[in-house]
Amino acid sequence: MKSIDKSTDKTIDYYENNSQAFYDRTINVDVTDSYQKFLRHLPKQACIAMDRFMADHIPIIVSAFNQIGWNKPELLFEEYLKEQEIGARIVWVAYAICHPRENGDPGLDSRLRGNDKWESRNDDKKVFAGYVTLKWQSQYPSFKVQSIPGIMDLNVLPSFRKMGIGSLLLDTAEKIALTKSQVIGIGVGLYAGEDGGYGAAQRLYVKRGYIPDGKGITYNDQPAIPGNSYPLDDDLVLWFTKKLR
């Protein structure tokens, strides 16, 4: 173990002798501008933390999506939790612990109001930002017969996009999937749009090395039949795979 040199010793002594005085002088100083400048120099994912999904997350997640008009019922997440408990699915929750203000954005503090349950162990405030699930046995027949685990239901709240949260969630799911399979799959919707569309997701998956599985589009996990009509909704999907090794 490396020993502490004299200069480090002096630094420690200084803070021990002057920390209270520094606190007294700065307790009422507004350092917002300096803090925001500091945040801009952090890597995107430095402000992100992740946790395994638990029952306490359910009302917070449902509330967050309700606030932006997305229908994410509690029943859905209760089912996810049951599947996680029996080992059929794994769910990860991402949350932001700091968020720089941009273009008039009031910043993280405004998003934390009413979220006291999200106090972390070191007293840093954090707020729900997104989640992803990994299902070991896909409902898509082609993945199921090949034992390809599937990433399902990747969602990042619009106000927390372009922070690297989606990539971090995918990194985590892919790493765990590799423990059982050299290939991972994902189904992607076909419509775009600012709220709930799949345009950004399509680009993200291609950049990460996902390619179409070559079996065409499905509706409700079944192959679409040429000449038939299908609603352009979340069940009309193109499937992708990625080699993890």
Side-chain angles (χ1 to χ4, degrees), residues 131-167:
Y131 70 92
V132 69
T133 90
L134 174 69
K135 193 165 185 180
W136 291 113
Q137 186 175 79
S138 174
Q139 293 177 314
Y140 174 44
S142 179
F143 287 178
K144 186 175 182 179
V145 74
Q146 298 178 77
S147 299
I148 297 176
I151 291 175
M152 298 182 63
D153 204 7
L154 169 64
N155 271 291
V156 177
L157 291 175
S159 57
F160 289 105
R161 291 176 184 169
K162 297 184 179 180
M163 291 178 61
I165 293 174
S167 292

Side-chain angles (χ1 to χ4, degrees), residues 12 14 18 20 26 37 39 42 47 52 60 78 84 96 109 112 139 164 166 171 174-175 216 231:
I12 293 173
Y14 174 83
N18 295 279
Q20 185 61 50
T26 60
K37 291 177 182 177
L39 291 183
L42 288 175
C47 291
R52 184 68 69 88
I60 297 170
E78 289 170 356
Q84 182 169 265
D109 288 344
L112 291 168
Q139 293 177 314
D171 287 342
E174 290 173 2
K175 182 178 179 180

Side-chain angles (χ1 to χ4, degrees), residues 16-242:
E16 284 183 345
N17 296 328
N18 295 279
S19 58
Q20 185 61 50
F22 175 80
Y23 173 82
D24 293 339
R25 290 197 305 270
T26 60
I27 182 61
N28 294 316
V29 175
D30 184 356
V31 295
T32 301
D33 289 342
S34 297
Y35 179 62
Q36 298 304 327
K37 291 177 182 177
F38 165 74
L39 291 183
R40 282 192 283 270
H41 291 282
L42 288 175
K44 287 183 178 180
Q45 294 182 353
C47 291
I48 305 166
M50 294 225 319
D51 204 353
R52 184 68 69 88
F53 179 58
M54 298 181 295
D56 286 348
H57 293 130
I58 294 177
I60 297 170
I61 295 173
V62 171
S63 175
F65 282 105
N66 282 342
Q67 289 176 24
I68 61 171
W70 291 11
N71 181 30
K72 292 285 185 180
E74 287 192 14
L75 187 62
L76 171 68
F77 297 103
E78 289 170 356
E79 185 63 28
Y80 285 174
L81 190 61
K82 290 178 182 177
E83 291 181 343
Q84 182 169 265
E85 289 170 349
I86 64 173
R89 185 191 298 264
I90 308 176
V91 186
W92 294 273
V93 176
Y95 42 87
I97 56 176
C98 55
H99 183 65
R101 300 179 184 179
E102 296 176 358
N103 301 323
D105 184 351
L108 179 61
D109 288 344
S110 67
R111 303 161 201 240
L112 291 168
R113 297 188 187 114
N115 284 312
D116 293 338
K117 291 177 69 175
W118 285 80
E119 288 290 334
S120 67
R121 295 181 184 88
N122 62 358
D123 293 329
D124 288 332
K125 291 181 178 179
K126 52 187 179 179
V127 62
F128 168 73
Y131 70 92
V132 69
T133 90
L134 174 69
K135 193 165 185 180
W136 291 113
Q137 186 175 79
S138 174
Q139 293 177 314
Y140 174 44
S142 179
F143 287 178
K144 186 175 182 179
V145 74
Q146 298 178 77
S147 299
I148 297 176
I151 291 175
M152 298 182 63
D153 204 7
L154 169 64
N155 271 291
V156 177
L157 291 175
S159 57
F160 289 105
R161 291 176 184 169
K162 297 184 179 180
M163 291 178 61
I165 293 174
S167 292
L168 183 60
L169 288 165
L170 287 171
D171 287 342
T172 303
E174 290 173 2
K175 182 178 179 180
I176 298 303
L178 184 56
T179 63
K180 294 187 178 182
S181 173
Q182 295 188 13
V183 180
I184 193 169
I186 192 166
V188 188
L190 301 183
Y191 65 89
E194 294 182 0
D195 297 325
Y198 294 94
Q202 294 166 2
R203 293 172 61 88
L204 173 63
Y205 301 143
V206 171
K207 288 180 180 179
R208 292 181 63 92
Y210 287 83
I211 61 173
D213 71 345
K215 298 184 181 300
I217 296 168
T218 66
Y219 191 79
N220 281 332
D221 300 321
Q222 300 302 314
I225 300 173
N228 285 6
S229 297
Y230 300 91
L232 183 58
D233 58 20
D234 294 338
D235 294 317
L236 192 64
V237 170
L238 181 64
W239 298 87
F240 290 71
T241 59
K242 176 183 178 179

